[in-house]
């Protein structure tokens, strides 16, 4: 091609663009750019997909089987509750355990209050223990956690704190625990 034919092609192109108008020219330009981007991006996406497939093959692990547990029924929970109960005949031993745990936590433990009761509807005994202790806040909390860990059939029902003065490092606390116990020696449901 010579310069005259290139100039003629350029002139025809400019005249065609002028006839189309600016909006239509912008749309044609946008379509051409989109097509070019698509032609450029397709191989990149295929390359990335192939790298991903190779990585997955390299790290191929057998599928993990997930066991679906049977739903727990209310009756199952009730059976587990009764199996966890302590034995009424060992209530005093549990109180000794509480005193030993308070000593282990470094707390001053004065005498406590004890109250037993039979819960007719539940068919179990409760033994309520109220313990006034004195020591640091952290040690009181440590004692409460130790008690619940050591006696799985106990609940911490109430804990209250009292400090004589703001600067006093020791607090006076009162913990109320309830021990849930079965009357029979097996510790199971009645």
């Amino acid at each position: 091609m010579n310069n005259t034919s290139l100039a003629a092609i350029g002139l025809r192109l400019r005249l065609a663009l002028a006839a189309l108008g600016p909006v239509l020219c912008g749309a044609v330009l946008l379509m051409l750019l989109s097509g070019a981007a698509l032609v450029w991006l397709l191989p990149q996406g295929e390359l990335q997909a192939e790298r991903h497939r190779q990585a997955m093959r390299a790290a191929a692990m057998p599928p993990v089987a997930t066991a679906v547990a049977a739903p727990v029924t209310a009756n199952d929970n009730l059976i587990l509750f009764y199996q966890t109960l302590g034995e009424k005949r060992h209530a005093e031993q549990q109180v000794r355990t509480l005193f030993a745990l308070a000593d282990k936590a470094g707390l001053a433990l004065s005498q406590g209050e004890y109250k037993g009761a039979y819960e007719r509807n539940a068919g179990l005994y409760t033994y309520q223990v109220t313990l006034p202790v004195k020591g640091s806040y952290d040690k009181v909390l440590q004692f409460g956690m130790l008690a619940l860990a050591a006696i799985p059939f106990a609940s911490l029902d109430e804990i209250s704190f009292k400090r004589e003065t703001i600067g006093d490092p020791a607090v006076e606390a009162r913990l109320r625990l309830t021990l849930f116990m079965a009357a029979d020696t097996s510790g199971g449901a009645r």
Side-chain angles (χ1 to χ4, degrees):
M1 273 205 224
N2 59 27
N3 285 343
T4 335
S5 61
L6 282 178
I9 292 174
L11 180 62
R12 285 188 184 136
L13 187 59
R14 278 190 284 177
L15 288 173
L17 289 175
L20 289 176
V23 174
L24 210 48
C25 286
V28 169
L29 182 63
L30 187 61
M31 283 182 5
L32 288 174
L33 289 175
S34 298
L38 186 62
V39 168
W40 182 72
L41 288 175
L42 273 178
Q44 300 296 323
E46 283 298 318
L47 180 64
Q48 197 172 24
E50 181 58 30
R51 286 182 185 158
H52 179 69
R53 284 191 291 272
Q54 287 175 353
M56 294 303 287
R57 280 192 294 266
M61 295 182 354
V64 177
T66 56
V68 177
V72 179
T73 65
N75 195 36
D76 293 337
N77 284 335
L78 187 61
I79 290 169
L80 183 60
F81 172 77
Y82 279 105
Q83 288 174 345
T84 307
L85 294 177
E87 295 179 24
K88 182 182 178 215
R89 63 189 172 117
H90 296 301
E92 293 161 6
Q93 179 183 350
Q94 302 307 327
V95 172
R96 282 195 295 276
T97 299
L98 291 172
F99 273 82
L101 291 172
D103 188 47
K104 181 179 180 180
L107 294 173
L109 181 63
S110 49
Q111 71 181 31
E113 299 171 18
Y114 315 99
K115 183 173 119 183
Y118 179 70
E119 299 294 330
R120 182 178 309 237
N121 291 337
L124 57 88
Y125 287 93
T126 59
Y127 198 65
Q128 201 170 71
V129 181
T130 304
L131 300 171
V133 294
K134 187 169 184 170
S136 73
Y137 178 81
D138 291 337
K139 289 183 179 183
V140 172
L141 289 180
Q142 178 188 11
F143 167 64
M145 294 299 113
L146 287 171
L148 292 175
I151 307 171
F153 48 90
S155 68
L156 179 57
D157 302 328
E158 181 184 336
I159 185 168
S160 59
F161 295 93
K162 179 182 168 186
R163 190 182 307 254
E164 290 299 321
T165 62
I166 293 175
D168 194 0
V171 295
E172 292 178 24
R174 179 179 158 105
L175 289 91
R176 186 170 44 106
L177 296 116
T178 301
L179 309 178
F180 295 91
M181 299 167 295
D184 62 344
T185 57
S186 67
R190 297 173 22 159

